[in-house]
Every structure is written in structure tokens, then in C-alpha cells.
Amino acid sequence: MSAYARPTSVDEALELLTGEGATVLAGGTDLAGQIDRGITAPTLLVDLQDAGLGGIERDGDGLRIGAATTLADLAADALVTPYGVVATAAGLAASPLLRNQGTVGGNLCQHTRCWYYRGEEWTCWLGGGDTCFAQIGDHRKHNLEEGDCISAHPSDLAPALAVCGATVVVRALEGERDIPLLDLYRRPTDDNRSLVTLARGELVVAVRLPPPPDASVYLRTGERQAFSFPLVSVAAARHDDSLTLAAAGVANIPRALDPADPLAGLPGHPQSAWKRKVLATLVERAEKALGSS
């Protein structure tokens, strides 16, 4: 049984999060499943609803998006319309019900959907065990990279924000730092199996966007159009004559792609190699949509 706190400021939330076993509760759409499956067992739930982390506002020539902003609000806000790739990604994530509850920060920091990681009957390598069961079992929906873990990153928002040049505002009691969005992520290692670079006591409080790209597009392949995570997704943005690409579903973390060779470093695995064709097709379609082919 977890204790519960509902701080009324970010500083109060950060104080609470320094405690052993304290965990952030924002929309709770991922956290509830983690608790149910025994992936995490928080001793204190720190509810951020009243901490002042919602809302979208102008930030110079760009935007500042509060981490507690819901995906539904992000998709519908007129300020986000010039960032078509972001609005589309937010509007395609999960289902209408979950978009009304899930938050920007939660979508970026969610855990992998790998069934071995989520399954109560396994303790996989990423979860602290010795074996990536996907590599010796069913990995049809897993990533294309080689490594100790072949889970696939599930966020729709991460690649979309990345191609727009987004930065993430990370705050702790000691101060605040801005990092490029893709630097929020890391590939897991034996000594640290986290997929994010947040230290204990750090909290994502906002995302900053620079001025919008000249054009952008988000394309994804999933099992369904609703209530489905992207099996493969591609975000693309054009600034003048420069094309920026990023993808989800093909690596442990959201991955920047080289427009000249988007499949580089993604050899695939016996059951997931089909994703290479899908990735190449989505990149081709994105380039055509932006007039960059």
C-alpha cells in the first residue's frame, strides 16, 4: 500500500520525491500498469495535478509545454498547429480516453511495452535479470538494434518533438537544466538499466520548442488506429533545405535517422526484420509529403 501526497508547488513535489520509494503520479496511465504487474512498488505517490505543471504558452518565438499537459490538450491547442508533427503524434497516441488523462511528461518517460518486461512471470534483463527473453522467444514487435535488450520505444511524442528541435526542462532541488530531447534517453547498461537519464530527485517539468519548422509530418504503423502503440513511427521536419528524421519502435529509445541512410545501424532480428521495410517505406512517404525526396 502506497502513501499519497498532492503537493501544490514544484518545490514541494521535489522535496517529496527525494524520499526513498517516492514516485511521480501524473496521468497514471503507465504507472497503474507498472504497479499492477509488480514492476514498481512505490511507498509514496506524489500527485502532480496541483503542482502547476500544465499549460501551453508562447516562449519567445517558440512554445513552452508544461509536462502535466494532457495529450488531448496538446493535440487540440491552436498554438501547436504550426508544429503539425507534434499535433498529429499527440492526436494518434493511445485512445481518446487515455489522451484525456495521459500527460506529455508521462508519454516521454513511459516504460517499454515489451511483454517479457511487463510479464509477472519473468524477470528479464532490463528488469534486473540475466536474460533478454525476447531474443530467445517471441520478438515480432521488438526493435532492430543489437544489444542486451531489444525492447522497442513506444512514445509517439518523442520523435515528433525531437525533429522540431525540442529541449526538455529538468528540475531538481539544486536547480534546473535544459537538455536536447533525445538526450533524455540512454541505452541501458549492466550497471544502469534505466532508459532515461533522469537522476533520482529530478523531474521533467516542461518541453520547450523553438520556432516551428517549415513543414513537418508524423507517420506510424500500429495494430489499430486507436488504443495502439506505434510498431514503427517516423517523424520528419523540414527547415529550409534541411530534413530531420526520427523514429520510434525501432530501438530501445527514440532514434534520430540519417536521411541518407535511415536503416543504418538497424540490422533487425529474425522476427522483427519486417520493420526495416516498414521504416524505409514511412521515411519515403514522409520525404514525399515534405517535398524532400
Side-chain angles (χ1 to χ4, degrees):
M1 180 68 70
S2 300
Y4 174 84
R6 192 162 176 168
T8 57
S9 70
V10 177
D11 285 342
E12 185 184 355
L14 290 170
E15 287 279 3
L16 291 167
L17 289 170
T18 61
E20 186 71 34
T23 298
V24 170
L25 171 63
T29 57
D30 183 26
L31 181 61
Q34 292 182 43
I35 294 173
D36 180 61
R37 297 296 181 91
I39 296 170
T40 186
T43 57
L44 173 65
L45 294 175
V46 181
D47 189 336
L48 300 181
Q49 288 187 68
D50 295 335
L53 291 177
I56 303 168
E57 60 186 14
R58 296 191 185 278
D59 185 27
D61 293 330
L63 297 179
R64 180 184 172 102
I65 302 165
T69 303
T70 66
L71 301 181
D73 287 344
L74 182 65
D77 198 299
L79 290 175
V80 183
T81 301
Y83 305 87
V85 63
V86 175
T88 301
L92 289 175
S95 67
L97 178 64
L98 293 175
R99 290 195 293 272
N100 281 322
Q101 184 70 18
T103 64
V104 170
N107 188 269
L108 293 176
C109 296
Q110 65 183 296
H111 287 211
T112 178
R113 301 292 154 172
C114 171
W115 43 78
Y116 296 108
Y117 177 76
R118 296 267 175 175
E120 294 181 89
E121 60 268 52
W122 297 288
T123 301
C124 72
W125 182 88
L126 187 64
D130 298 320
T131 303
C132 175
F133 295 106
Q135 298 194 47
I136 58 175
D138 185 352
H139 57 267
R140 292 167 293 165
K141 301 177 187 178
H142 287 68
N143 78 30
L144 295 172
E145 282 187 323
E146 296 177 338
D148 292 313
C149 169
I150 61 170
S151 64
H153 182 77
S155 171
D156 283 285
L157 273 186
L161 290 167
V163 297
C164 291
T167 57
V168 176
V169 184
V170 177
R171 189 165 165 186
L173 287 173
E174 297 76 22
E176 190 173 278
R177 62 189 177 107
D178 282 34
I179 57 174
L181 186 130
L182 291 181
D183 287 351
L184 176 63
Y185 303 98
R186 61 182 300 279
R187 295 193 68 189
T189 56
D190 270 327
D191 61 336
N192 183 356
R193 302 191 186 182
S194 175
L195 292 165
V196 295
T197 58
L198 296 175
R200 182 174 171 180
E202 286 191 319
L203 180 66
V204 173
V205 296
V207 173
R208 284 195 174 109
L209 284 169
D214 297 325
S216 62
V217 67
Y218 181 73
L219 302 173
R220 74 188 317 249
T221 295
E223 292 181 298
R224 300 172 297 276
Q225 286 191 315
F227 200 28
S228 174
F229 295 96
L231 295 174
V232 181
S233 71
V234 168
R238 178 170 53 79
H239 299 79
D240 296 324
D241 295 327
S242 176
L243 178 67
T244 305
L245 297 170
V250 299
N252 294 138
I253 58 180
R255 180 183 174 104
L257 303 177
D258 180 357
D261 187 6
L263 297 178
L266 298 170
H269 304 281
Q271 296 174 27
S272 68
W274 62 270
K275 286 190 174 187
R276 285 174 52 86
K277 178 63 174 178
V278 174
L279 178 61
T281 300
L282 292 181
V283 168
E284 181 181 357
R285 291 177 180 175
E287 290 175 340
K288 287 183 177 178
L290 299 183
S292 302
S293 58

